[in-house]
Amino acid sequence: MAQPLVKKDDDRDEEADYSPFLGIEKGAVLQEARVFNDPQLDARRCSQVEATEVFFAVTKLFQSRDIGLRRMVYLMIKEISPSADEVIIVTSSLMKDMNSRTDMYRANAIRVLCRITDGTLLTQIERYLKQAIVDKNPVVASAALVSGIHLLQTNPEIVKRWSNEVQEAVQSRAALVQFHALALLHQVIRESGVNSQTGDRPFYDYLEGCLRHKAEMVIFEAAKAITELSNVSTRELTPAITVLQLFLSSSKPVLRFAAVRTLNKVAMTHPMAVTNCNIDMESLISDQNRSIATLAITTLLKTGNESSVDRLMKQITNFMSDIADEFKIVVVEAIRSLCLKFPLKYRSLMNFLSSILREEGGFEYKKAIVDSIVILIRDIPDAKESGLLHLCEFIEDCEFTYLSTQILHFLGNEGPKTSDPSKYIRYIYNRVILENATVRASAVSTLAKFGAVVDSLKVRDRATLYLNTLGDGSVSETDKYVKEFLFGSLDIPLTNIETSLKNYLEAMVSFVLLEQAQNPTEEPFDISSVPKDVKSQPLAEKKAPGKKQTGLGAPPPAPTSAADAYERLLSAIPEFASFGKLFKSSAPVELTEAETEYAVNVVKHIFDRHVVFQCNCTNTIPEQLLENVTVIVDASEAEEFSEVGTKPIKSLPYDTPAQTFVAFEKPEGVPAVGKFSNMLRFTVKEVDPSTGEAEDDGVEDEYQLEDFEVAAADYILKVGVSNFKNAWESMDPGTERIDEYGLGPRESLTEAVNAVINLLGMQPCEGTEVVPNNSRSHTCLLSGVYIGNVKVLVRLSFGIDGTKEVAMKLAVRSEDENVSDAIHEIVASG
């Protein structure tokens, strides 16, 4: 487009040359520039020299009438973007240029003013901007329209008042003005929201009417426009979704593709609105056009529910081999999103990702799968161990060095945090032996991380001992002591060595304390003096249970803990052997009052996916024999639990305790809670006191038991730490979650502290559970292990005011940020 003619001023000297550096003294500039060489740079002063001084110098150039130089002035002011105080200096000059006879000045002044001005000044120049929009000169009109497009982001209400002028500009003869006017009008329409009074949206009725047009392209574009409306509601989407659903079964591939692509975008923001199309989209999985099939699959993954996951996985398995890597990557990303949406389905989705990881594919495809597995491991705690194993299996045959090194690096960070890090060592060690130098180096670093992080002093001490024994690696086979140490066998019972070492150390302590004349430690410990015969169990461990001893005279604790005894008991029952490792067993909860006919208490055994209730029953009536004893556990108030098995007591004689078990399944790794009501059901038979024999016939009977609950505290083990501060600081600060809670009125801080400790079921540390008398504030430190073997630390800060209202600040750190969030959820709902 030709530039408009510019009228020359009469008094302008056309021949005069004007330098932009006129009036600037070289010495002054060099003096100011010295600040750039200071040893201690003053950033603020440097900025002032570079920007502020330049800005003030540039403003003097408004006196020049050279068009080229003036354009440089406008550009400089726009780029520097002066502050509010500095804008005042150039505002009057720019407003003067807006009314200049030179169109180029007017256009550029409008652009600069709209760039640097605020809402207050904008209202003063609004009249000039409206006039500029309908100006005869296309350059001025376009400048005003483009400025309006930018101002719409910051001052939309002012720009919307220009609708009449903009519509007039649409009729301009200049194509550039038409284009900018249409662009501004389009933006205004998009910014126009739903009418708050009528609930109507501008132009919606027109778009909805176009859905009944004769032309298919018009129908599609109208449906697409409705789906792209800002803050569109489900009600507004419904007619557009209905039309797109009809297109899914069209005989024209282009319509099927357009419809499924639009529905795919809608599913990102309104997945429930697209669910009615799922049946039609499932038929598109087998479409000959692989682009359509891929979009259908990814849309179904976004809109499907938890129950449809397994069916979709079966369909995708056959589908993946027929599409290119670029489409496979799209499917993998959709599966990752689905797994994050339904974390309980991680097993099937993780297995699918693992299976396609072992199939043929390029680097980008394999990297997308590995990245997805890594994200799932980080975001779904229960998926960590299985996901790490899948990655270990992949690097056995991985042909990409980069992926192998990245997986090894990730293993070094996550593997030592699992319950059994040793199962990954074999895979890492194989990389040390079989791979190229780059992968071997990563494998060695990963092994070092395992050795540094895993809490196994035995392994580290053994490694140090062997390294010191081997020295520089030149062990002589004739070295008798080295060969005996490395290859000899230990034929002395470890129990005997332990006893002899204890006696040796006690003799040392006795010498120090009693100052005996003869030093029993003059000679080192001699292993040859340790007896090689196996000693019998000490009598102290064989004594029948009697009165509990206390103090120094008490025997050492039994080597087998209650948890180990419970685990052996449950693993011996075939119905429960497959439940995995026992996480926690609660203390017995009484279900009957004292001195009643039957005594029943329950122990809650927590597994990853199951909870087993062990009901300990005792018959206290000598004249009765109970048979087929079961406890009917009603879980109607515990919706996340479903009963999977029971084990009754066949016979329960008088004063002979026995156990009946009831097992429930729950969501994996989830601390499901609920209330259970109970009924003792049995067959009772009368017993002859003189002979002790029971009658043949019995009567079925029931006995009401107390209710009990599975609470959040049942999923946390009480495990203390020796130094809470060190343990806290060693935790990743990124997992910390802090919030404040009001605990309501309490009798004292002690009551509030005990309530929170009981709610969380964690171990108080360093005696902080004790609140000093008359204290108005207190800090309590707690430690524990959350289900999934995740260590968690809690710092509680309490305060009580004069009205006995208690406030609490809760800070949590753990090995998993999701666990930190879960602790807060427990407190918030408790």
Side-chain angles (χ1 to χ4, degrees):
M1 180 182 293
Q3 296 293 332
L5 295 176
V6 179
K7 182 180 179 181
K8 297 182 179 179
D9 285 347
D10 297 336
D11 56 350
R12 176 186 171 190
D13 185 1
E14 298 181 8
E15 304 298 327
D17 293 331
Y18 186 84
S19 171
F21 303 106
L22 185 65
I24 300 177
E25 296 182 6
K26 179 179 179 182
V29 172
L30 294 176
Q31 182 71 23
E32 291 287 350
R34 287 181 181 178
V35 299
F36 302 142
N37 299 321
D38 289 348
Q40 300 293 329
L41 282 178
D42 186 339
R44 185 175 181 181
R45 191 177 175 192
C46 291
S47 299
Q48 289 176 343
V49 171
E50 293 180 355
T52 306
E53 297 299 331
V54 172
F55 170 75
F56 282 112
V58 165
T59 58
K60 298 177 182 179
L61 299 180
F62 273 107
Q63 300 174 9
S64 171
R65 295 173 180 172
D66 183 88
I67 293 180
L69 180 60
R70 185 67 66 87
R71 293 180 67 182
M72 292 298 296
V73 172
Y74 294 134
L75 289 173
M76 181 65 73
I77 295 174
K78 281 178 62 178
E79 292 302 321
I80 294 178
S81 296
S83 63
D85 295 334
E86 297 166 346
V87 166
I88 300 174
I89 298 172
V90 295
T91 299
S92 59
S93 298
L94 291 172
M95 293 184 67
K96 182 180 178 181
D97 283 355
M98 284 182 63
N99 298 296
S100 171
R101 295 180 179 180
T102 305
D103 291 333
M104 190 61 65
Y105 288 179
R106 294 169 58 202
N108 285 313
I110 289 172
R111 289 177 181 271
V112 175
L113 264 177
C114 293
R115 175 70 177 270
I116 67 175
T117 190
D118 57 10
T120 305
L121 182 61
L122 188 60
T123 57
Q124 300 177 21
I125 64 173
E126 182 181 5
R127 176 169 61 88
Y128 299 106
L129 293 175
K130 284 185 176 181
Q131 293 174 357
I133 291 175
V134 295
D135 195 273
K136 294 181 180 179
N137 188 290
V139 176
V140 176
S142 288
L145 290 167
V146 171
S147 298
I149 294 174
H150 292 299
L151 289 172
L152 194 62
Q153 308 300 321
T154 56
N155 297 275
E157 297 304 322
I158 293 178
V159 178
K160 289 178 182 177
R161 295 200 293 260
W162 305 349
S163 57
N164 292 334
E165 288 78 6
V166 175
Q167 292 183 51
E168 184 178 342
V170 172
Q171 309 300 324
S172 172
R173 294 182 179 179
L176 188 64
V177 176
Q178 289 184 4
F179 174 79
H180 289 141
L182 280 173
L184 178 56
L185 191 61
H186 176 256
Q187 290 296 325
V188 172
I189 293 172
R190 288 184 64 88
E191 290 293 327
S192 300
V194 179
N195 189 306
S196 58
Q197 296 179 351
T198 64
D200 295 333
R201 185 188 294 272
F203 309 109
Y204 177 80
D205 291 339
Y206 171 74
L207 292 175
E208 199 271 338
C210 289
L211 296 177
R212 294 180 288 276
H213 198 274
K214 294 180 180 179
E216 292 173 333
M217 283 297 102
V218 174
I219 297 173
F220 169 73
E221 290 297 337
K224 181 182 176 183
I226 291 175
T227 62
E228 293 177 350
L229 292 174
S230 60
N231 301 319
V232 63
S233 65
T234 304
R235 180 182 63 82
E236 293 171 328
L237 278 175
T238 301
I241 299 295
T242 303
V243 168
L244 293 172
Q245 185 177 5
L246 294 175
F247 284 170
L248 292 177
S249 55
S250 171
S251 59
K252 300 177 181 179
V254 65
L255 279 180
R256 297 200 303 273
F257 175 79
V260 74
R261 186 175 65 172
T262 305
L263 290 172
N264 186 280
K265 293 180 180 178
V266 175
M268 296 179 183
T269 54
H270 296 79
M272 296 305 298
V274 187
T275 52
N276 292 334
C277 307
N278 283 2
I279 296 177
D280 299 277
M281 279 189 287
E282 285 191 22
S283 63
L284 295 180
I285 295 177
S286 56
D287 196 285
Q288 293 181 351
N289 188 311
R290 295 289 86 185
S291 298
I292 295 175
T294 304
L295 286 169
I297 279 288
T298 53
T299 307
L300 287 169
L301 290 173
K302 294 172 185 174
T303 61
N305 52 38
E306 194 166 5
S307 60
S308 65
V309 170
D310 295 329
R311 186 178 74 254
L312 284 175
M313 288 300 101
K314 292 179 181 178
Q315 292 176 300
I316 295 175
T317 302
N318 300 327
F319 163 80
M320 292 292 284
S321 59
D322 299 332
I323 60 176
D325 280 5
E326 57 182 317
F327 295 127
K328 291 180 181 178
I329 293 174
V330 176
V331 175
V332 168
E333 292 173 350
I335 291 175
R336 179 180 67 203
S337 301
L338 183 69
C339 192
L340 295 174
K341 182 180 179 182
F342 302 118
L344 294 181
K345 287 292 183 181
Y346 80 87
R347 289 186 185 277
S348 59
L349 296 173
M350 187 74 81
N351 289 337
F352 174 79
L353 291 175
S354 175
S355 64
I356 62 175
L357 187 60
R358 293 190 293 269
E359 296 175 357
E360 293 295 327
F363 171 76
E364 293 296 336
Y365 172 48
K366 294 298 180 72
K367 183 177 181 295
I369 301 173
V370 171
D371 290 343
S372 297
I373 294 177
V374 167
I375 291 173
L376 298 182
I377 291 172
R378 287 176 175 169
D379 293 353
I380 305 176
D382 294 337
K384 177 178 286 187
E385 297 201 4
S386 61
L388 290 176
L389 277 178
H390 289 319
L391 293 178
C392 287
E393 293 169 356
F394 170 63
I395 60 174
E396 294 273 273
D397 303 310
C398 181
E399 57 183 311
F400 302 108
T401 298
Y402 173 81
L403 290 182
S404 296
T405 55
Q406 292 301 305
I407 292 172
L408 287 168
H409 176 73
F410 182 69
L411 274 172
N413 293 332
E414 299 295 329
K417 301 176 185 178
T418 59
S419 58
D420 185 13
S422 60
K423 59 185 171 185
Y424 310 111
I425 298 294
R426 173 174 65 86
Y427 299 97
I428 302 171
Y429 181 69
N430 287 344
R431 299 308 97 210
V432 176
I433 301 173
L434 304 174
E435 289 287 357
N436 57 52
T438 303
V439 178
R440 288 204 307 272
S442 296
V444 170
S445 299
T446 303
L447 285 175
K449 290 180 181 179
F450 270 74
V453 176
V454 175
D455 188 16
S456 177
L457 292 175
K458 182 186 296 184
V459 174
R460 291 202 292 272
D461 291 346
R462 183 73 58 87
T464 303
L465 179 61
Y466 278 112
L467 283 172
N468 290 335
T469 302
L470 293 172
D472 61 356
S474 57
V475 179
S476 172
E477 293 188 7
T478 59
D479 190 330
K480 173 184 175 182
Y481 297 105
V482 173
K483 289 181 66 178
E484 182 178 353
F485 176 75
L486 291 176
F487 308 112
S489 62
L490 184 65
D491 56 353
I492 304 173
L494 293 177
T495 305
N496 295 1
I497 296 179
E498 180 182 6
T499 303
S500 298
L501 283 171
K502 285 182 178 178
N503 294 337
Y504 177 76
L505 293 173
E506 287 173 359
M508 293 175 61
V509 174
S510 298
F511 169 74
V512 174
L513 295 178
L514 303 178
E515 297 182 351
Q516 295 179 352
Q518 182 182 1
N519 187 348
T521 62
E522 289 180 346
E523 296 182 0
F525 177 76
D526 186 5
I527 195 170
S528 62
S529 64
V530 180
K532 297 183 179 181
D533 58 319
V534 179
K535 293 186 177 182
S536 60
Q537 187 180 21
L539 291 175
E541 299 182 10
K542 293 182 178 180
K543 291 174 63 176
K547 187 175 181 180
K548 184 177 180 180
Q549 294 177 281
T550 58
L552 296 176
T560 303
S561 65
D564 293 335
Y566 281 137
E567 186 162 17
R568 285 205 301 270
L569 172 65
L570 294 170
S571 61
I573 300 174
E575 293 89 337
F576 310 145
S578 62
F579 287 1
K581 184 173 179 58
L582 176 64
F583 174 71
K584 179 182 178 181
S585 297
S586 72
V589 179
E590 296 297 333
L591 302 183
T592 57
E593 297 179 356
E595 306 301 328
T596 56
E597 299 96 320
Y598 312 108
V600 181
N601 63 51
V602 63
V603 177
K604 296 170 281 188
H605 301 296
I606 308 297
F607 294 84
D608 195 27
R609 295 183 58 188
H610 299 84
V611 174
V612 177
F613 301 131
Q614 174 184 328
C615 299
N616 303 311
C617 305
T618 304
N619 175 13
T620 62
I621 303 177
E623 297 81 17
Q624 287 186 356
L625 170 67
L626 307 184
E627 293 183 345
N628 297 324
V629 181
T630 59
V631 174
I632 307 302
V633 181
D634 182 3
S636 57
E637 297 185 53
E639 297 179 353
E640 294 183 277
F641 294 81
S642 57
E643 185 173 329
V644 293
T646 60
K647 183 174 177 58
I649 302 172
K650 293 183 179 180
S651 178
L652 187 61
Y654 165 69
D655 202 23
T656 304
Q659 300 83 32
T660 177
F661 299 87
V662 185
F664 283 80
E665 188 176 27
K666 68 174 186 65
E668 185 170 359
V670 175
V673 298
K675 185 177 181 181
F676 300 83
S677 55
N678 311 281
M679 179 75 71
L680 184 67
R681 183 173 295 172
F682 51 85
T683 300
V684 60
K685 293 183 178 181
E686 296 295 328
V687 176
D688 186 351
S690 58
T691 62
E693 293 182 357
E695 296 179 355
D696 295 334
D697 298 329
V699 178
E700 292 188 357
D701 200 359
E702 294 179 344
Y703 186 82
Q704 185 66 48
L705 302 176
E706 299 289 338
D707 296 347
F708 70 88
E709 294 182 350
V710 172
D714 292 317
Y715 297 93
I716 303 178
L717 277 174
K718 290 185 176 182
V719 178
V721 292
S722 58
N723 188 317
F724 187 89
K725 181 180 178 181
N726 290 346
W728 180 269
E729 291 176 351
S730 67
M731 288 282 190
D732 182 8
T735 66
E736 184 172 349
R737 298 292 184 270
I738 303 176
D739 207 343
E740 296 180 355
Y741 301 88
L743 304 184
R746 301 278 178 169
E747 285 298 320
S748 63
L749 273 184
T750 301
E751 179 189 346
V753 170
N754 292 336
V756 177
I757 291 175
N758 293 333
L759 175 65
L760 294 177
M762 299 178 68
Q763 177 67 41
C765 300
E766 303 175 1
T768 55
E769 72 275 16
V770 179
V771 181
N773 293 332
N774 302 321
S775 178
R776 309 286 298 186
S777 62
H778 183 67
T779 298
C780 181
L781 310 176
L782 305 178
S783 172
V785 174
Y786 194 83
I787 186 169
N789 293 315
V790 180
K791 294 179 182 178
V792 58
L793 299 175
V794 168
R795 179 179 286 162
L796 302 168
S797 300
F798 295 88
I800 188 169
D801 61 15
T803 62
K804 294 191 174 182
E805 289 282 340
V806 177
M808 180 186 73
K809 182 179 180 181
L810 170 62
V812 185
R813 286 189 182 183
S814 71
E815 293 176 336
D816 188 332
E817 59 188 8
N818 294 322
V819 173
S820 300
D821 293 333
I823 297 297
H824 276 278
E825 291 176 7
I826 292 171
V827 173
S829 61

